[in-house]
Amino acid sequence: MDTTATAQLERWQRFRTNRNKALATRHGWLTPTSFQWLESRPAAVELAPGLWSTDGTTATLTAAAQDGLTLVETGEPVDGTITASLANEESLMWVQFGGADGQQVVVELAMRADRYAIRTRDSGSPVLTEFDGVPTFDYNPDLVIEAAYEAYPEPVAVPIGTANPLVDGVHYSVGEVVFRLPGIDHEYRLHAEEEKLGALTVTFHDETNGDSTDDWRKVSTARPRPDGSVVLDFNRAINYPSAFTPFGTCPMPVKNNSLDYRIEAGEKDPMLTD
């Protein structure tokens, strides 16, 4: 292996190490154990104490001191009624309970599709405690693709589905990433969203979905160069949280972001075993 190839492989290995560390945080995406919509009347929920409700604009929790709930932000016990308000797509790690330190389970408040829901995140979940890294394809230098980014004059809001059939999503397409794949004559154009510092993210289907990979994945690029070129490194294709948990509301690709090609690079379906 030449020096350049060795450096590429080492960078990818560091990327994989950091990715696995980020996934394995105490209340990260390997820990959700439920996703439940709140009702208008105070009611008990699964896997968390207290009575929960919403009037549509505010979420309300009523609990007694013996329930053992404390606020995540301050550690203050919940004894009585508390409220919180979120905008659509916002989340709040709201209260916690359980375990030796009273912090084993965090209850996340979320606003999805203009409805309040809670998601329990349990650091004792076997998905986290038995995690030893996401399975991946071997590094494939042929799938490090030089591409061109063609920006739209203005972002375009494209309706999409999500991993939860009750939650609709919106993809804010800022332009198209244009490229060719090895051995294929035609050109591909995939919608991209803009992330922090001008980076781009492309959410896509390919022919490995449902076989060796989850139903869709995403890959990010650095900010486009001044000439509009970007590197689309499919070795850095990663799963959305919905690959690890049935309690995600992750965005699906826009209709045309499908590749008639097997992208045998990046992360595999973590639920499949060899």
Side-chain angles (χ1 to χ4, degrees), residues 55-237:
D55 62 3
T57 59
T58 302
T60 300
L61 165 62
T62 300
Q66 58 264 34
D67 289 324
L69 289 166
T70 61
L71 293 172
V72 171
E73 186 175 354
T74 64
E76 180 183 354
V78 178
D79 188 6
T81 297
I82 60 173
T83 62
S85 298
L86 300 175
N88 197 39
E89 294 302 315
E90 285 187 337
S91 294
L92 169 68
M93 298 300 186
W94 197 13
V95 294
Q96 59 196 356
F97 68 95
D101 61 0
Q103 299 175 8
Q104 177 177 326
V105 180
V106 163
V107 184
E108 171 194 0
L109 180 68
M111 174 73 93
R112 298 292 182 269
D114 294 313
R115 296 174 63 190
Y116 278 103
I118 59 167
R119 186 185 277 121
T120 51
R121 294 174 177 257
D122 188 341
S123 59
S125 166
V127 182
L128 173 62
T129 59
E130 298 173 10
F131 179 68
D132 61 358
V134 187
T136 69
F137 293 97
D138 290 338
Y139 183 80
N140 184 350
D142 293 337
L143 287 174
V144 181
I145 306 296
E146 286 286 340
Y149 171 59
E150 297 180 0
Y152 297 148
E154 298 290 339
V156 178
V158 182
I160 55 170
T162 74
N164 185 317
L166 299 179
V167 178
D168 292 328
V170 177
H171 184 284
Y172 292 97
S173 298
V174 294
E176 296 176 6
V177 177
V178 185
F179 59 95
R180 293 181 184 273
L181 288 168
I184 301 295
D185 291 336
H186 58 268
E187 192 174 70
Y188 294 95
R189 290 178 167 269
L190 300 185
H191 290 240
E193 284 194 296
E194 188 172 70
E195 306 295 343
K196 294 178 180 178
L197 303 176
L200 302 174
T201 292
V202 174
T203 302
F204 67 96
H205 291 294
D206 74 271
E207 293 294 321
T208 67
N209 296 163
D211 170 1
S212 49
T213 63
D214 193 43
D215 292 340
W216 64 89
R217 294 180 290 168
K218 65 178 178 178
V219 62
S220 296
T221 75
R223 182 175 184 168
R225 303 177 184 116
D227 65 358
S229 64
V230 293
V231 174
L232 200 61
D233 185 352
F234 284 105
N235 294 284
R236 298 193 178 210

